[in-house]
Amino acid sequence: MLEPGMVVRHPDAPDWGMGQVQSNVKGKVTVNFREMGKVVIDSSRVMLIPVFDT
């Protein structure tokens, strides 16, 4: 379960860099990525990768 404040990476878009989860509502995860900006991701389709060693 992704929670606000967690840092993640998108498995299919490594060039987006790390992103911080802003919200997670009914599986729609809003992430603010360094290189891409704010993106809403359907967590049933994309498995975001948590980053623990920032």
mmCIF file of all heavy atoms in Angstrom:
data_model
loop_
_atom_site.group_PDB
_atom_site.id
_atom_site.type_symbol
_atom_site.label_atom_id
_atom_site.label_comp_id
_atom_site.label_asym_id
_atom_site.label_seq_id
_atom_site.Cartn_x
_atom_site.Cartn_y
_atom_site.Cartn_z
ATOM 1 N N MET A 1 0.840 -1.185 0.000
ATOM 2 C CA MET A 1 0.000 0.000 0.000
ATOM 3 C C MET A 1 0.879 1.241 0.000
ATOM 4 O O MET A 1 1.687 1.431 0.899
ATOM 5 C CB MET A 1 -0.908 -0.024 1.237
ATOM 6 C CG MET A 1 -1.896 1.069 1.270
ATOM 7 S SD MET A 1 -3.120 0.803 -0.007
ATOM 8 C CE MET A 1 -4.454 1.713 0.631
ATOM 9 N N LEU A 2 0.743 2.048 -1.012
ATOM 10 C CA LEU A 2 1.528 3.275 -1.116
ATOM 11 C C LEU A 2 0.831 4.391 -0.340
ATOM 12 O O LEU A 2 -0.373 4.592 -0.472
ATOM 13 C CB LEU A 2 1.692 3.663 -2.583
ATOM 14 C CG LEU A 2 2.455 2.655 -3.433
ATOM 15 C CD1 LEU A 2 2.419 3.073 -4.901
ATOM 16 C CD2 LEU A 2 3.881 2.517 -2.956
ATOM 17 N N GLU A 3 1.615 5.111 0.444
ATOM 18 C CA GLU A 3 1.073 6.181 1.272
ATOM 19 C C GLU A 3 1.750 7.498 0.926
ATOM 20 O O GLU A 3 2.895 7.509 0.454
ATOM 21 C CB GLU A 3 1.309 5.848 2.740
ATOM 22 C CG GLU A 3 0.585 4.600 3.195
ATOM 23 C CD GLU A 3 0.799 4.309 4.672
ATOM 24 O OE1 GLU A 3 1.423 5.130 5.364
ATOM 25 O OE2 GLU A 3 0.347 3.260 5.120
ATOM 26 N N PRO A 4 1.061 8.622 1.157
ATOM 27 C CA PRO A 4 1.668 9.920 0.895
ATOM 28 C C PRO A 4 3.012 10.064 1.610
ATOM 29 O O PRO A 4 3.174 9.641 2.751
ATOM 30 C CB PRO A 4 0.633 10.908 1.453
ATOM 31 C CG PRO A 4 -0.664 10.181 1.309
ATOM 32 C CD PRO A 4 -0.327 8.731 1.606
ATOM 33 N N GLY A 5 3.965 10.616 0.872
ATOM 34 C CA GLY A 5 5.301 10.829 1.417
ATOM 35 C C GLY A 5 6.295 9.763 0.983
ATOM 36 O O GLY A 5 7.501 9.992 1.016
ATOM 37 N N MET A 6 5.797 8.592 0.568
ATOM 38 C CA MET A 6 6.698 7.528 0.116
ATOM 39 C C MET A 6 7.375 7.937 -1.189
ATOM 40 O O MET A 6 6.792 8.649 -2.006
ATOM 41 C CB MET A 6 5.931 6.225 -0.108
ATOM 42 C CG MET A 6 5.440 5.578 1.160
ATOM 43 S SD MET A 6 4.562 4.026 0.836
ATOM 44 C CE MET A 6 5.939 2.960 0.453
ATOM 45 N N VAL A 7 8.604 7.461 -1.367
ATOM 46 C CA VAL A 7 9.351 7.726 -2.600
ATOM 47 C C VAL A 7 9.289 6.475 -3.460
ATOM 48 O O VAL A 7 9.474 5.360 -2.971
ATOM 49 C CB VAL A 7 10.817 8.104 -2.275
ATOM 50 C CG1 VAL A 7 11.619 8.310 -3.542
ATOM 51 C CG2 VAL A 7 10.850 9.355 -1.404
ATOM 52 N N VAL A 8 9.005 6.670 -4.760
ATOM 53 C CA VAL A 8 8.834 5.545 -5.682
ATOM 54 C C VAL A 8 9.521 5.818 -7.012
ATOM 55 O O VAL A 8 9.900 6.950 -7.313
ATOM 56 C CB VAL A 8 7.330 5.267 -5.945
ATOM 57 C CG1 VAL A 8 6.627 4.820 -4.684
ATOM 58 C CG2 VAL A 8 6.641 6.478 -6.560
ATOM 59 N N ARG A 9 9.634 4.751 -7.802
ATOM 60 C CA ARG A 9 10.082 4.835 -9.193
ATOM 61 C C ARG A 9 9.034 4.143 -10.064
ATOM 62 O O ARG A 9 8.370 3.217 -9.613
ATOM 63 C CB ARG A 9 11.423 4.140 -9.388
ATOM 64 C CG ARG A 9 12.586 4.869 -8.801
ATOM 65 C CD ARG A 9 13.897 4.200 -9.234
ATOM 66 N NE ARG A 9 15.028 4.846 -8.636
ATOM 67 C CZ ARG A 9 15.655 5.915 -9.144
ATOM 68 N NH1 ARG A 9 15.232 6.439 -10.263
ATOM 69 N NH2 ARG A 9 16.678 6.458 -8.530
ATOM 70 N N HIS A 10 8.925 4.600 -11.303
ATOM 71 C CA HIS A 10 8.035 3.953 -12.270
ATOM 72 C C HIS A 10 8.854 2.901 -13.006
ATOM 73 O O HIS A 10 9.892 3.221 -13.578
ATOM 74 C CB HIS A 10 7.487 4.989 -13.243
ATOM 75 C CG HIS A 10 6.369 4.492 -14.100
ATOM 76 N ND1 HIS A 10 6.540 3.483 -15.028
ATOM 77 C CD2 HIS A 10 5.072 4.865 -14.165
ATOM 78 C CE1 HIS A 10 5.394 3.261 -15.640
ATOM 79 N NE2 HIS A 10 4.476 4.080 -15.132
ATOM 80 N N PRO A 11 8.416 1.634 -13.029
ATOM 81 C CA PRO A 11 9.224 0.561 -13.619
ATOM 82 C C PRO A 11 9.462 0.717 -15.123
ATOM 83 O O PRO A 11 10.471 0.250 -15.635
ATOM 84 C CB PRO A 11 8.421 -0.703 -13.319
ATOM 85 C CG PRO A 11 7.021 -0.222 -13.154
ATOM 86 C CD PRO A 11 7.138 1.148 -12.523
ATOM 87 N N ASP A 12 8.551 1.371 -15.823
ATOM 88 C CA ASP A 12 8.671 1.508 -17.278
ATOM 89 C C ASP A 12 9.189 2.883 -17.708
ATOM 90 O O ASP A 12 9.308 3.138 -18.910
ATOM 91 C CB ASP A 12 7.315 1.261 -17.941
ATOM 92 C CG ASP A 12 6.788 -0.133 -17.649
ATOM 93 O OD1 ASP A 12 7.613 -1.069 -17.574
ATOM 94 O OD2 ASP A 12 5.567 -0.278 -17.470
ATOM 95 N N ALA A 13 9.475 3.752 -16.743
ATOM 96 C CA ALA A 13 9.934 5.109 -17.072
ATOM 97 C C ALA A 13 11.054 5.542 -16.127
ATOM 98 O O ALA A 13 10.888 6.472 -15.333
ATOM 99 C CB ALA A 13 8.762 6.080 -17.008
ATOM 100 N N PRO A 14 12.215 4.888 -16.195
ATOM 101 C CA PRO A 14 13.309 5.254 -15.287
ATOM 102 C C PRO A 14 13.801 6.690 -15.477
ATOM 103 O O PRO A 14 14.333 7.291 -14.546
ATOM 104 C CB PRO A 14 14.405 4.240 -15.621
ATOM 105 C CG PRO A 14 14.071 3.734 -16.977
ATOM 106 C CD PRO A 14 12.582 3.816 -17.102
ATOM 107 N N ASP A 15 13.582 7.241 -16.670
ATOM 108 C CA ASP A 15 14.010 8.614 -16.935
ATOM 109 C C ASP A 15 13.172 9.654 -16.184
ATOM 110 O O ASP A 15 13.543 10.822 -16.118
ATOM 111 C CB ASP A 15 14.008 8.906 -18.434
ATOM 112 C CG ASP A 15 12.659 8.620 -19.075
ATOM 113 O OD1 ASP A 15 12.040 7.595 -18.727
ATOM 114 O OD2 ASP A 15 12.233 9.420 -19.927
ATOM 115 N N TRP A 16 12.052 9.246 -15.598
ATOM 116 C CA TRP A 16 11.245 10.163 -14.792
ATOM 117 C C TRP A 16 11.908 10.462 -13.450
ATOM 118 O O TRP A 16 11.553 11.411 -12.778
ATOM 119 C CB TRP A 16 9.859 9.602 -14.528
ATOM 120 C CG TRP A 16 8.979 9.552 -15.733
ATOM 121 C CD1 TRP A 16 9.315 9.863 -17.025
ATOM 122 C CD2 TRP A 16 7.612 9.154 -15.768
ATOM 123 N NE1 TRP A 16 8.248 9.684 -17.854
ATOM 124 C CE2 TRP A 16 7.179 9.249 -17.117
ATOM 125 C CE3 TRP A 16 6.715 8.727 -14.809
ATOM 126 C CZ2 TRP A 16 5.880 8.937 -17.501
ATOM 127 C CZ3 TRP A 16 5.433 8.407 -15.191
ATOM 128 C CH2 TRP A 16 5.016 8.523 -16.520
ATOM 129 N N GLY A 17 12.857 9.620 -13.046
ATOM 130 C CA GLY A 17 13.517 9.791 -11.757
ATOM 131 C C GLY A 17 12.634 9.313 -10.622
ATOM 132 O O GLY A 17 11.638 8.635 -10.820
ATOM 133 N N MET A 18 13.025 9.686 -9.417
ATOM 134 C CA MET A 18 12.228 9.313 -8.240
ATOM 135 C C MET A 18 11.049 10.261 -8.107
ATOM 136 O O MET A 18 11.111 11.413 -8.536
ATOM 137 C CB MET A 18 13.096 9.368 -6.985
ATOM 138 C CG MET A 18 14.147 8.293 -6.945
ATOM 139 S SD MET A 18 15.029 8.233 -5.381
ATOM 140 C CE MET A 18 16.029 9.698 -5.515
ATOM 141 N N GLY A 19 9.988 9.732 -7.507
ATOM 142 C CA GLY A 19 8.803 10.551 -7.285
ATOM 143 C C GLY A 19 8.281 10.362 -5.879
ATOM 144 O O GLY A 19 8.501 9.325 -5.257
ATOM 145 N N GLN A 20 7.584 11.375 -5.404
ATOM 146 C CA GLN A 20 6.992 11.296 -4.066
ATOM 147 C C GLN A 20 5.488 11.143 -4.204
ATOM 148 O O GLN A 20 4.835 11.917 -4.930
ATOM 149 C CB GLN A 20 7.316 12.541 -3.252
ATOM 150 C CG GLN A 20 6.805 12.438 -1.823
ATOM 151 C CD GLN A 20 7.157 13.658 -1.013
ATOM 152 O OE1 GLN A 20 7.024 14.781 -1.478
ATOM 153 N NE2 GLN A 20 7.604 13.437 0.207
ATOM 154 N N VAL A 21 4.937 10.137 -3.521
ATOM 155 C CA VAL A 21 3.495 9.897 -3.550
ATOM 156 C C VAL A 21 2.794 11.072 -2.860
ATOM 157 O O VAL A 21 3.132 11.447 -1.737
ATOM 158 C CB VAL A 21 3.140 8.566 -2.848
ATOM 159 C CG1 VAL A 21 1.629 8.384 -2.762
ATOM 160 C CG2 VAL A 21 3.793 7.394 -3.562
ATOM 161 N N GLN A 22 1.819 11.642 -3.563
ATOM 162 C CA GLN A 22 1.034 12.748 -3.021
ATOM 163 C C GLN A 22 -0.276 12.249 -2.412
ATOM 164 O O GLN A 22 -0.705 12.748 -1.385
ATOM 165 C CB GLN A 22 0.720 13.769 -4.128
ATOM 166 C CG GLN A 22 1.950 14.287 -4.837
ATOM 167 C CD GLN A 22 2.837 15.101 -3.920
ATOM 168 O OE1 GLN A 22 2.419 16.119 -3.391
ATOM 169 N NE2 GLN A 22 4.055 14.652 -3.726
ATOM 170 N N SER A 23 -0.893 11.263 -3.090
ATOM 171 C CA SER A 23 -2.143 10.694 -2.587
ATOM 172 C C SER A 23 -2.376 9.330 -3.218
ATOM 173 O O SER A 23 -1.781 8.992 -4.238
ATOM 174 C CB SER A 23 -3.330 11.619 -2.895
ATOM 175 O OG SER A 23 -3.552 11.691 -4.295
ATOM 176 N N ASN A 24 -3.251 8.553 -2.577
ATOM 177 C CA ASN A 24 -3.649 7.248 -3.085
ATOM 178 C C ASN A 24 -5.131 7.090 -2.763
ATOM 179 O O ASN A 24 -5.502 6.824 -1.626
ATOM 180 C CB ASN A 24 -2.823 6.145 -2.430
ATOM 181 C CG ASN A 24 -3.129 4.773 -2.998
ATOM 182 O OD1 ASN A 24 -4.049 4.605 -3.787
ATOM 183 N ND2 ASN A 24 -2.347 3.800 -2.595
ATOM 184 N N VAL A 25 -5.980 7.286 -3.789
ATOM 185 C CA VAL A 25 -7.423 7.221 -3.599
ATOM 186 C C VAL A 25 -7.990 6.142 -4.521
ATOM 187 O O VAL A 25 -7.942 6.272 -5.743
ATOM 188 C CB VAL A 25 -8.085 8.586 -3.902
ATOM 189 C CG1 VAL A 25 -9.593 8.505 -3.730
ATOM 190 C CG2 VAL A 25 -7.492 9.681 -3.035
ATOM 191 N N LYS A 26 -8.496 5.078 -3.921
ATOM 192 C CA LYS A 26 -9.107 3.969 -4.665
ATOM 193 C C LYS A 26 -8.191 3.448 -5.774
ATOM 194 O O LYS A 26 -8.629 3.184 -6.884
ATOM 195 C CB LYS A 26 -10.456 4.390 -5.236
ATOM 196 C CG LYS A 26 -11.471 4.720 -4.165
ATOM 197 C CD LYS A 26 -12.788 5.080 -4.767
ATOM 198 C CE LYS A 26 -13.765 5.438 -3.654
ATOM 199 N NZ LYS A 26 -15.063 5.849 -4.174
ATOM 200 N N GLY A 27 -6.890 3.342 -5.474
ATOM 201 C CA GLY A 27 -5.954 2.781 -6.435
ATOM 202 C C GLY A 27 -5.391 3.760 -7.443
ATOM 203 O O GLY A 27 -4.543 3.405 -8.247
ATOM 204 N N LYS A 28 -5.861 4.989 -7.414
ATOM 205 C CA LYS A 28 -5.309 6.042 -8.271
ATOM 206 C C LYS A 28 -4.256 6.782 -7.441
ATOM 207 O O LYS A 28 -4.579 7.463 -6.470
ATOM 208 C CB LYS A 28 -6.379 7.022 -8.730
ATOM 209 C CG LYS A 28 -7.519 6.375 -9.467
ATOM 210 C CD LYS A 28 -7.087 5.808 -10.794
ATOM 211 C CE LYS A 28 -8.313 5.276 -11.521
ATOM 212 N NZ LYS A 28 -7.997 4.411 -12.613
ATOM 213 N N VAL A 29 -2.992 6.609 -7.836
ATOM 214 C CA VAL A 29 -1.881 7.160 -7.067
ATOM 215 C C VAL A 29 -1.337 8.392 -7.787
ATOM 216 O O VAL A 29 -0.940 8.308 -8.952
ATOM 217 C CB VAL A 29 -0.766 6.109 -6.902
ATOM 218 C CG1 VAL A 29 0.365 6.654 -6.057
ATOM 219 C CG2 VAL A 29 -1.320 4.834 -6.291
ATOM 220 N N THR A 30 -1.336 9.516 -7.095
ATOM 221 C CA THR A 30 -0.750 10.741 -7.649
ATOM 222 C C THR A 30 0.679 10.836 -7.142
ATOM 223 O O THR A 30 0.917 10.800 -5.942
ATOM 224 C CB THR A 30 -1.547 11.984 -7.224
ATOM 225 O OG1 THR A 30 -2.902 11.825 -7.647
ATOM 226 C CG2 THR A 30 -0.968 13.245 -7.833
ATOM 227 N N VAL A 31 1.624 10.934 -8.108
ATOM 228 C CA VAL A 31 3.040 10.972 -7.784
ATOM 229 C C VAL A 31 3.659 12.202 -8.431
ATOM 230 O O VAL A 31 3.387 12.504 -9.599
ATOM 231 C CB VAL A 31 3.767 9.711 -8.297
ATOM 232 C CG1 VAL A 31 5.235 9.732 -7.903
ATOM 233 C CG2 VAL A 31 3.102 8.452 -7.773
ATOM 234 N N ASN A 32 4.489 12.910 -7.688
ATOM 235 C CA ASN A 32 5.213 14.053 -8.217
ATOM 236 C C ASN A 32 6.644 13.596 -8.528
ATOM 237 O O ASN A 32 7.452 13.445 -7.619
ATOM 238 C CB ASN A 32 5.199 15.213 -7.226
ATOM 239 C CG ASN A 32 5.702 16.493 -7.839
ATOM 240 O OD1 ASN A 32 5.798 16.620 -9.047
ATOM 241 N ND2 ASN A 32 6.030 17.442 -7.000
ATOM 242 N N PHE A 33 6.921 13.352 -9.829
ATOM 243 C CA PHE A 33 8.243 12.901 -10.255
ATOM 244 C C PHE A 33 9.159 14.080 -10.521
ATOM 245 O O PHE A 33 8.708 15.122 -11.019
ATOM 246 C CB PHE A 33 8.130 12.056 -11.528
ATOM 247 C CG PHE A 33 7.524 10.700 -11.311
ATOM 248 C CD1 PHE A 33 6.180 10.470 -11.562
ATOM 249 C CD2 PHE A 33 8.296 9.650 -10.848
ATOM 250 C CE1 PHE A 33 5.616 9.223 -11.369
ATOM 251 C CE2 PHE A 33 7.742 8.388 -10.638
ATOM 252 C CZ PHE A 33 6.401 8.177 -10.901
ATOM 253 N N ARG A 34 10.459 13.913 -10.224
ATOM 254 C CA ARG A 34 11.448 14.979 -10.429
ATOM 255 C C ARG A 34 11.480 15.479 -11.857
ATOM 256 O O ARG A 34 11.530 16.672 -12.111
ATOM 257 C CB ARG A 34 12.842 14.485 -10.053
ATOM 258 C CG ARG A 34 13.088 14.419 -8.601
ATOM 259 C CD ARG A 34 14.542 14.091 -8.330
ATOM 260 N NE ARG A 34 14.737 13.873 -6.915
ATOM 261 C CZ ARG A 34 15.768 13.264 -6.398
ATOM 262 N NH1 ARG A 34 16.720 12.796 -7.180
ATOM 263 N NH2 ARG A 34 15.866 13.112 -5.104
ATOM 264 N N GLU A 35 11.513 14.550 -12.809
ATOM 265 C CA GLU A 35 11.707 14.919 -14.213
ATOM 266 C C GLU A 35 10.422 15.000 -15.030
ATOM 267 O O GLU A 35 10.438 15.516 -16.140
ATOM 268 C CB GLU A 35 12.670 13.932 -14.888
ATOM 269 C CG GLU A 35 14.015 13.809 -14.214
ATOM 270 C CD GLU A 35 14.788 15.122 -14.158
ATOM 271 O OE1 GLU A 35 14.692 15.926 -15.118
ATOM 272 O OE2 GLU A 35 15.482 15.347 -13.156
ATOM 273 N N MET A 36 9.316 14.502 -14.498
ATOM 274 C CA MET A 36 8.069 14.448 -15.264
ATOM 275 C C MET A 36 6.969 15.325 -14.675
ATOM 276 O O MET A 36 6.044 15.693 -15.363
ATOM 277 C CB MET A 36 7.593 12.996 -15.346
ATOM 278 C CG MET A 36 6.422 12.785 -16.237
ATOM 279 S SD MET A 36 6.874 13.216 -17.905
ATOM 280 C CE MET A 36 5.429 12.695 -18.759
ATOM 281 N N GLY A 37 7.095 15.637 -13.392
ATOM 282 C CA GLY A 37 6.043 16.401 -12.736
ATOM 283 C C GLY A 37 4.985 15.480 -12.145
ATOM 284 O O GLY A 37 5.222 14.306 -11.915
ATOM 285 N N LYS A 38 3.794 16.022 -11.943
ATOM 286 C CA LYS A 38 2.728 15.285 -11.282
ATOM 287 C C LYS A 38 2.014 14.360 -12.268
ATOM 288 O O LYS A 38 1.596 14.793 -13.337
ATOM 289 C CB LYS A 38 1.729 16.268 -10.669
ATOM 290 C CG LYS A 38 0.869 15.664 -9.595
ATOM 291 C CD LYS A 38 0.091 16.710 -8.866
ATOM 292 C CE LYS A 38 0.995 17.368 -7.853
ATOM 293 N NZ LYS A 38 0.269 18.226 -6.923
ATOM 294 N N VAL A 39 1.896 13.085 -11.881
ATOM 295 C CA VAL A 39 1.287 12.064 -12.737
ATOM 296 C C VAL A 39 0.331 11.231 -11.887
ATOM 297 O O VAL A 39 0.656 10.877 -10.753
ATOM 298 C CB VAL A 39 2.373 11.136 -13.338
ATOM 299 C CG1 VAL A 39 1.743 10.060 -14.199
ATOM 300 C CG2 VAL A 39 3.396 11.932 -14.125
ATOM 301 N N VAL A 40 -0.839 10.911 -12.443
ATOM 302 C CA VAL A 40 -1.787 10.021 -11.772
ATOM 303 C C VAL A 40 -1.643 8.641 -12.405
ATOM 304 O O VAL A 40 -1.717 8.493 -13.624
ATOM 305 C CB VAL A 40 -3.233 10.524 -11.904
ATOM 306 C CG1 VAL A 40 -4.199 9.541 -11.236
ATOM 307 C CG2 VAL A 40 -3.376 11.907 -11.291
ATOM 308 N N ILE A 41 -1.419 7.631 -11.564
ATOM 309 C CA ILE A 41 -1.138 6.277 -12.032
ATOM 310 C C ILE A 41 -2.170 5.315 -11.460
ATOM 311 O O ILE A 41 -2.479 5.365 -10.262
ATOM 312 C CB ILE A 41 0.285 5.859 -11.598
ATOM 313 C CG1 ILE A 41 1.289 6.781 -12.287
ATOM 314 C CG2 ILE A 41 0.552 4.392 -11.896
ATOM 315 C CD1 ILE A 41 2.692 6.646 -11.799
ATOM 316 N N ASP A 42 -2.679 4.443 -12.311
ATOM 317 C CA ASP A 42 -3.614 3.398 -11.886
ATOM 318 C C ASP A 42 -2.775 2.242 -11.334
ATOM 319 O O ASP A 42 -2.111 1.530 -12.096
ATOM 320 C CB ASP A 42 -4.446 2.943 -13.076
ATOM 321 C CG ASP A 42 -5.479 1.893 -12.715
ATOM 322 O OD1 ASP A 42 -5.417 1.333 -11.603
ATOM 323 O OD2 ASP A 42 -6.346 1.625 -13.567
ATOM 324 N N SER A 43 -2.816 2.053 -10.030
ATOM 325 C CA SER A 43 -1.957 1.044 -9.394
ATOM 326 C C SER A 43 -2.369 -0.393 -9.721
ATOM 327 O O SER A 43 -1.614 -1.318 -9.456
ATOM 328 C CB SER A 43 -1.917 1.242 -7.880
ATOM 329 O OG SER A 43 -3.193 1.016 -7.317
ATOM 330 N N SER A 44 -3.531 -0.584 -10.336
ATOM 331 C CA SER A 44 -3.913 -1.928 -10.769
ATOM 332 C C SER A 44 -3.220 -2.290 -12.081
ATOM 333 O O SER A 44 -3.172 -3.453 -12.459
ATOM 334 C CB SER A 44 -5.426 -2.052 -10.920
ATOM 335 O OG SER A 44 -5.886 -1.305 -12.029
ATOM 336 N N ARG A 45 -2.668 -1.294 -12.767
ATOM 337 C CA ARG A 45 -1.994 -1.525 -14.050
ATOM 338 C C ARG A 45 -0.478 -1.363 -13.968
ATOM 339 O O ARG A 45 0.251 -1.968 -14.746
ATOM 340 C CB ARG A 45 -2.541 -0.559 -15.091
ATOM 341 C CG ARG A 45 -4.034 -0.750 -15.322
ATOM 342 C CD ARG A 45 -4.499 0.180 -16.365
ATOM 343 N NE ARG A 45 -3.850 -0.213 -17.611
ATOM 344 C CZ ARG A 45 -4.422 -0.161 -18.776
ATOM 345 N NH1 ARG A 45 -5.640 0.279 -18.885
ATOM 346 N NH2 ARG A 45 -3.776 -0.524 -19.862
ATOM 347 N N VAL A 46 -0.020 -0.510 -13.056
ATOM 348 C CA VAL A 46 1.414 -0.238 -12.929
ATOM 349 C C VAL A 46 1.839 -0.478 -11.487
ATOM 350 O O VAL A 46 1.241 0.076 -10.562
ATOM 351 C CB VAL A 46 1.745 1.223 -13.322
ATOM 352 C CG1 VAL A 46 3.215 1.516 -13.106
ATOM 353 C CG2 VAL A 46 1.348 1.497 -14.753
ATOM 354 N N MET A 47 2.874 -1.293 -11.302
ATOM 355 C CA MET A 47 3.397 -1.603 -9.969
ATOM 356 C C MET A 47 4.565 -0.665 -9.686
ATOM 357 O O MET A 47 5.693 -0.922 -10.137
ATOM 358 C CB MET A 47 3.841 -3.056 -9.921
ATOM 359 C CG MET A 47 4.269 -3.495 -8.564
ATOM 360 S SD MET A 47 2.816 -3.788 -7.580
ATOM 361 C CE MET A 47 3.404 -5.069 -6.544
ATOM 362 N N LEU A 48 4.306 0.420 -8.988
ATOM 363 C CA LEU A 48 5.369 1.360 -8.648
ATOM 364 C C LEU A 48 6.357 0.701 -7.693
ATOM 365 O O LEU A 48 5.976 -0.127 -6.874
ATOM 366 C CB LEU A 48 4.780 2.629 -8.017
ATOM 367 C CG LEU A 48 3.928 3.472 -8.959
ATOM 368 C CD1 LEU A 48 3.180 4.531 -8.172
ATOM 369 C CD2 LEU A 48 4.781 4.112 -10.032
ATOM 370 N N ILE A 49 7.623 1.081 -7.818
ATOM 371 C CA ILE A 49 8.687 0.471 -7.025
ATOM 372 C C ILE A 49 9.058 1.401 -5.872
ATOM 373 O O ILE A 49 9.569 2.505 -6.114
ATOM 374 C CB ILE A 49 9.926 0.209 -7.886
ATOM 375 C CG1 ILE A 49 9.545 -0.697 -9.076
ATOM 376 C CG2 ILE A 49 11.042 -0.405 -7.059
ATOM 377 C CD1 ILE A 49 10.588 -0.736 -10.154
ATOM 378 N N PRO A 50 8.816 1.003 -4.633
ATOM 379 C CA PRO A 50 9.227 1.840 -3.486
ATOM 380 C C PRO A 50 10.741 1.970 -3.428
ATOM 381 O O PRO A 50 11.467 1.032 -3.717
ATOM 382 C CB PRO A 50 8.711 1.076 -2.264
ATOM 383 C CG PRO A 50 7.675 0.139 -2.783
ATOM 384 C CD PRO A 50 8.083 -0.194 -4.189
ATOM 385 N N VAL A 51 11.199 3.171 -3.050
ATOM 386 C CA VAL A 51 12.631 3.443 -2.886
ATOM 387 C C VAL A 51 12.864 3.750 -1.424
ATOM 388 O O VAL A 51 12.250 4.653 -0.865
ATOM 389 C CB VAL A 51 13.080 4.636 -3.762
ATOM 390 C CG1 VAL A 51 14.531 4.971 -3.537
ATOM 391 C CG2 VAL A 51 12.796 4.352 -5.233
ATOM 392 N N PHE A 52 13.752 2.981 -0.798
ATOM 393 C CA PHE A 52 13.986 3.159 0.630
ATOM 394 C C PHE A 52 15.326 3.805 0.944
ATOM 395 O O PHE A 52 15.566 4.225 2.054
ATOM 396 C CB PHE A 52 13.880 1.817 1.353
ATOM 397 C CG PHE A 52 12.503 1.209 1.247
ATOM 398 C CD1 PHE A 52 12.272 0.134 0.405
ATOM 399 C CD2 PHE A 52 11.444 1.721 1.967
ATOM 400 C CE1 PHE A 52 10.999 -0.421 0.292
ATOM 401 C CE2 PHE A 52 10.166 1.176 1.877
ATOM 402 C CZ PHE A 52 9.961 0.105 1.030
ATOM 403 N N ASP A 53 16.220 3.880 -0.039
ATOM 404 C CA ASP A 53 17.550 4.432 0.210
ATOM 405 C C ASP A 53 17.772 5.735 -0.540
ATOM 406 O O ASP A 53 18.572 5.842 -1.433
ATOM 407 C CB ASP A 53 18.639 3.426 -0.177
ATOM 408 C CG ASP A 53 18.539 3.001 -1.628
ATOM 409 O OD1 ASP A 53 17.518 3.293 -2.278
ATOM 410 O OD2 ASP A 53 19.496 2.376 -2.113
ATOM 411 N N THR A 54 16.958 6.756 -0.193
ATOM 412 C CA THR A 54 17.085 8.045 -0.859
ATOM 413 C C THR A 54 18.217 8.753 -0.237
ATOM 414 O O THR A 54 18.561 9.745 -0.105
ATOM 415 C CB THR A 54 15.779 8.852 -0.785
ATOM 416 O OG1 THR A 54 15.426 9.051 0.592
ATOM 417 C CG2 THR A 54 14.667 8.121 -1.518
#
